[in-house]
């Protein structure tokens, strides 16, 4: 019975149980729709692990989700709701691509400079709502959503005005700024997997150390948990709020760099958001706002997104079913008290049954 207690207490355990319940509910929905859930889930796993190419493409899909998930999770841990990862992602991508186009440098300077430019651009984009929150009391949800639209329009304008090479996209970056790796791509069957995954895992480690092993991380978490208490303890609340939003924005910006430098090598004009920022909210929620949880949440979310394509082709399951499963996962995690109650009832039922057998 000890494993029941561990699941009931641990947020990661609740997340894993929520995933299992969502998959079971998804199977029921597929049965009601006349689809075979066994064949569908088999096609799903085949679409992720079937070949090295498919696995590489899945990792490629996961990479930006780790960055945006970390961005949202970091803000949540410090008491802020960063809904602006979409805009921060886009301005970071444009900054990285711009550096990749404009500067003729050796790769050991060019690539880090492009990533740094993305971090600075995303951080400054996040600093604006952080400043408004700290100095003017404007709620960050409102300002970050507004900054998303400003970012989308501004990025399109800059591409169209200064970097337009073809009808719908910018010029291509120089090879010295690229995150793509020939040997890594060849290892995974010619997929578009790139070195951004290494940067993403390093970022997860850095965020864990910053939040849980440093004095500054303790301050940031304290401000998030109890702003009045932090101020009474002598902490600079406004400074920490702005720093938190800036770090969160920088993470999302580097996520944009991973797409621009690693997958495409250019940036396209767009009438809509790429979606990684909003998906990052779900990834952070699934991962219980922890570094390891975000990585696992990104694996799950990215795997579901990419594996759904094979479910659609091989098992003829509509893509909307996958979105329903993702929505159910989020629902069960958001209803963690309900899941905890379910676990407790199961524990009680097993205890009574075990006592009855005696």
């Amino acid at each position: 019975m000890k494993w029941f207690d561990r699941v009931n207490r641990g947020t990661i355990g609740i997340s894993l149980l929520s995933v299992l319940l969502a998959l079971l509910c998804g199977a029921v929905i597929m049965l009601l729709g006349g689809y075979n859930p066994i064949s569908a889930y088999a096609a799903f796993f085949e679409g992720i692990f079937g070949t090295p190419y498919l696995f590489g493409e899945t990792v490629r899909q996961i990479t930006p989700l780790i960055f945006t998930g970390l961005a949202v999770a970091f803000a949540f841990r410090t008491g802020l709701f960063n809904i602006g990862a979409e805009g921060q992602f886009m301005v970071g991508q444009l900054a990285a691509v711009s550096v990749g186009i404009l500067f003729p440098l050796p790769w050991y300077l060019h690539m880090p400079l492009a990533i740094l430019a993305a971090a600075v651009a995303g951080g400054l984009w996040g600093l604006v709502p952080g400043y408004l929150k700290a100095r003017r009391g404007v709620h960050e949800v409102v300002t970050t959503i507004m900054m998303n639209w400003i970012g989308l329009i501004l990025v399109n304008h800059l591409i169209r005005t200064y970097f337009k090479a073809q009808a719908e996209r910018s010029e291509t970056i120089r090879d010295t700024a690229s995150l793509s790796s020939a040997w890594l791509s060849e290892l995974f069957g010619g997929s578009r997997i790139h070195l951004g995954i290494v940067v993403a895992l390093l970022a997860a480690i850095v965020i864990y150390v910053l939040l849980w092993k440093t004095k500054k991380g303790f301050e940031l978490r304290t401000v998030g948990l109890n702003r009045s208490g932090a101020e009474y303890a002598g902490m600079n609340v406004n400074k920490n709020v702005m720093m938190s939003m800036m770090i969160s924005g920088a993470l999302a910006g580097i996520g944009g760099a991973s797409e621009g430098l690693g997958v495409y090598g250019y940036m396209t004009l767009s009438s809509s958001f790429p979606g990684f920022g909003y998906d990052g909210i779900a990834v952070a929620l699934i991962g219980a706002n922890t570094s390891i949880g975000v990585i696992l949440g990104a694996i799950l979310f990215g795997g579901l997104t990419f594996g759904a394509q094979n479910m659609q082709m091989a098992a003829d399951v509509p893509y909307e079913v996958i979105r329903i499963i993702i929505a159910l996962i989020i629902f069960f995690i958001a209803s963690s008290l309900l899941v905890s109650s379910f676990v407790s009832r199961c524990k009680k039922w097993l205890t009574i049954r075990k006592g009855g057998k005696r």
Side-chain angles (χ1 to χ4, degrees):
M1 307 298 293
K2 291 182 179 179
W3 70 275
F4 265 113
D5 294 327
R6 287 195 293 268
V7 167
N8 210 20
R9 288 197 300 265
T11 52
I12 297 294
I14 292 295
S15 296
L16 292 174
L17 186 58
S18 298
V19 171
L20 178 60
L21 290 172
L23 293 176
L24 290 174
C25 290
V28 172
I29 291 170
M30 282 186 268
L31 284 172
L32 293 174
Y35 305 103
N36 186 334
I38 297 176
S39 299
Y41 284 135
F44 164 70
F45 286 108
E46 179 71 19
I48 298 175
F49 303 107
T51 64
Y53 172 81
L54 292 173
F55 184 71
E57 283 295 302
T58 303
V59 174
R60 190 266 306 168
Q61 181 75 24
I62 289 167
T63 301
L65 292 175
I66 295 177
F67 285 111
T68 56
L70 287 173
V72 175
F74 186 87
F76 280 169
R77 279 290 178 187
T78 56
L80 298 166
F81 296 92
N82 182 12
I83 316 298
E86 286 287 355
Q88 295 148 16
F89 184 95
M90 294 187 73
V91 297
Q93 184 176 354
L94 179 63
V97 169
S98 300
V99 171
I101 293 170
L102 296 175
F103 298 98
L105 295 169
W107 68 267
Y108 54 84
L109 292 176
H110 207 178
M111 186 192 303
L113 182 62
I115 295 173
L116 179 61
V120 171
L124 291 175
W125 211 252
L127 180 61
V128 174
Y131 173 83
L132 292 173
K133 170 77 172 183
R135 299 295 184 182
R136 297 289 182 264
V138 182
H139 203 287
E140 68 275 12
V141 170
V142 176
T143 52
T144 50
I145 291 175
M146 292 173 65
M147 292 293 287
N148 282 342
W149 288 102
I150 295 171
L152 175 65
I153 296 167
L154 178 63
V155 164
N156 282 337
H157 170 72
L158 292 176
I159 293 173
R160 189 179 293 111
T161 305
Y162 298 104
F163 299 105
K164 187 175 180 181
Q166 297 182 14
E168 298 295 329
R169 70 175 182 85
S170 71
E171 302 168 49
T172 303
I173 63 171
R174 301 172 190 267
D175 291 339
T176 49
S178 177
L179 279 171
S180 61
S181 171
W183 69 268
L184 193 59
S185 177
E186 192 174 322
L187 182 64
F188 288 93
S191 66
R192 292 175 292 172
I193 187 174
H194 53 83
L195 294 174
I197 185 62
V198 178
V199 181
L201 296 176
L202 288 175
I205 295 172
V206 169
I207 292 303
Y208 169 77
V209 173
L210 173 61
L211 275 177
W212 301 100
K213 302 296 181 181
T214 67
K215 178 184 175 182
K216 178 52 67 177
F218 175 76
E219 283 190 19
L220 291 169
R221 287 186 289 112
T222 302
V223 170
L225 289 170
N226 190 331
R227 187 166 299 183
S228 299
E231 190 171 3
Y232 181 77
M235 299 176 187
N236 190 328
V237 172
N238 289 342
K239 180 181 177 181
N240 281 297
V241 167
M242 290 188 287
M243 180 178 291
S244 174
M245 285 300 295
M246 187 168 63
I247 294 173
S248 178
L251 288 166
I254 299 173
S258 74
E259 284 293 284
L261 303 179
V263 180
Y264 301 108
Y266 55 84
M267 190 168 183
T268 58
L269 292 169
S270 178
S271 59
S272 62
F273 299 112
F276 291 114
Y278 290 129
D279 287 347
I281 299 172
V283 168
L285 184 62
I286 292 171
N289 300 321
T290 63
S291 290
I292 184 64
V294 164
I295 293 172
L296 295 175
I299 291 171
L300 172 68
F301 210 94
L304 283 170
T305 303
F306 190 77
Q309 300 173 26
N310 198 53
M311 284 181 67
Q312 194 171 14
M313 291 184 294
D316 199 29
V317 177
Y319 181 73
E320 287 74 16
V321 173
I322 298 299
R323 304 305 294 183
I324 290 173
I325 293 173
I326 293 173
L328 286 170
I329 292 172
I330 298 171
F331 169 78
F332 282 122
I333 292 173
S335 306
S336 57
L337 291 176
L338 182 64
V339 177
S340 297
S341 175
F342 172 75
V343 172
S344 298
R345 288 176 181 272
C346 289
K347 178 185 174 183
K348 183 178 179 181
W349 179 78
L350 288 174
T351 302
I352 294 172
R353 188 179 179 194
K354 187 177 180 180
K357 285 185 177 180
R358 290 177 182 175

